[in-house]
Amino acid sequence: TGDILGAFTGESGISGSSIGQIDMYDKFSFVEVDKKVADTVVESMHNNTIKGNKVAIDFAKDRD
């Protein structure tokens, strides 16, 4: 989780307080981000890497 937090804050310039819960799974993670900075995070992390792994980032789909 520290690598994700560091990448998000470092690449997008947002503060760590704008990031909430990080849920990590085998092949993906969910990162809770303040709505005010969500577009900035997605744009800054698009085509980026975390620890050498390519990042595919998008907004989570609403639950039905």
Side-chain angles (χ1 to χ4, degrees):
T1 59
D3 293 328
I4 293 172
L5 179 63
F8 277 33
T9 58
E11 294 296 325
S12 66
I14 66 168
S15 73
S17 63
S18 294
I19 297 178
Q21 185 171 332
I22 300 174
D23 295 325
M24 297 179 65
Y25 300 94
D26 288 339
K27 303 226 182 229
F28 63 93
S29 299
F30 286 109
V31 181
E32 186 179 49
V33 178
D34 190 322
K35 284 185 178 187
K36 294 179 226 168
V37 297
D39 288 332
T40 300
V41 171
V42 170
E43 289 172 15
S44 65
M45 292 305 299
H46 183 72
N47 290 329
N48 215 320
T49 61
I50 297 177
K51 294 194 79 155
N53 296 306
K54 187 174 178 179
V55 174
I57 187 168
D58 203 350
F59 295 99
K61 308 293 185 262
D62 286 334
R63 292 182 182 173
D64 292 331

